[in-house]
Amino acid sequence: MTTQEPPLTLAVLVGSVRVPRMGRTIADWFVGHAGRRDGLRTGLVDLAEVPLPLADTPPGGNPASPIAGRLDAADAFVVITPEYNHSFPAALKNAIDWHHREWVAKPVGFVSYGAGSGGIRAVEQLRLVFAELHATTTRTGVVLTAPWDRLDRQGRLVGDEPLGRAADATLDELTWWGRALRTARRNRPYGQ
């Protein structure tokens, strides 16, 4: 008798709260792309819809967070981030800091965007932040340079073959780490 592994739960975080913004458009494309995979259950966490004040973030996370349960239930994360002034948005850092144990021993992948660099400097800084939280970041990611040039008449991101391959490579790596770390957390909780 073969036991089927439960689907991997992937939380996709939209890191920008600016208006107007590209983050939600890119996230909608990525969630749609990821949704075609078997064994993956994807949920969107749009920080523009989450009231996290800049105060009251005690060390170790905040139990009053409206998204703590969703993050805790996730096996893996994808962070959709722009690059602002060679870094990532303040709202994203605030959301990361509001939580702690939710990130521990889980993989994080990235979809970045921006003008010339496609957001890679923001991702490099986020890798340092997530390492401090004992999360594992993937090497592969999706990098979008000038995504506003990829919109159709309805304002949706138009993917092409290279973009699809980058998303698939990211999801492949994230899925591997997600399954491996879920098994490890179940068999021997991290830090014990």
Side-chain angles (χ1 to χ4, degrees):
M1 180 176 186
T2 305
T3 59
Q4 179 122 13
E5 198 169 357
L8 195 71
T9 302
L10 175 65
V12 177
L13 280 79
V14 182
S16 172
V17 298
R18 284 187 179 177
V19 177
R21 63 189 174 132
M22 286 294 306
R24 182 60 186 257
T25 300
I26 293 168
D28 289 342
W29 167 82
F30 187 83
V31 167
H33 188 87
R36 295 192 292 264
R37 288 185 165 232
D38 291 332
L40 193 61
R41 187 174 53 229
T42 306
L44 187 65
V45 179
D46 188 342
L47 295 181
E49 299 171 357
V50 179
L52 292 176
L54 291 173
D56 300 326
T57 55
N62 193 321
S65 163
I67 58 170
R70 291 170 63 194
L71 298 181
D72 192 48
D75 296 306
F77 304 98
V78 167
V79 174
I80 312 288
T81 185
E83 182 176 311
Y84 296 159
N85 302 319
H86 288 218
S87 189
F88 53 91
L92 178 56
K93 181 67 164 82
N94 187 45
I96 293 168
D97 290 348
W98 258 72
H99 307 90
H100 186 271
R101 66 177 175 75
E102 292 84 357
W103 311 114
V104 174
K106 295 180 182 179
V108 181
F110 301 98
V111 176
S112 64
Y113 61 97
S117 73
I120 59 174
R121 293 175 290 224
V123 170
E124 289 307 309
Q125 292 184 27
L126 281 165
R127 290 183 195 286
L128 299 173
V129 173
F130 280 110
E132 181 63 22
L133 295 169
H134 301 267
T136 300
T137 60
T138 62
R139 183 185 181 285
T140 58
V142 179
V143 178
L144 286 154
T145 302
W148 41 88
D149 292 339
R150 293 176 163 263
L151 302 180
D152 66 14
R153 290 178 186 232
Q154 288 76 37
R156 295 176 302 219
L157 185 71
V158 177
D160 56 15
E161 189 176 336
L163 190 58
R165 281 196 313 266
D168 287 336
T170 300
L171 288 164
D172 288 345
E173 186 177 354
L174 200 59
T175 299
W176 189 93
W177 277 109
R179 292 191 190 294
L181 290 173
R182 180 171 65 186
T183 299
R185 288 191 314 274
R186 181 179 60 234
N187 294 340
R188 183 175 180 201
Y190 186 80
Q192 294 185 359

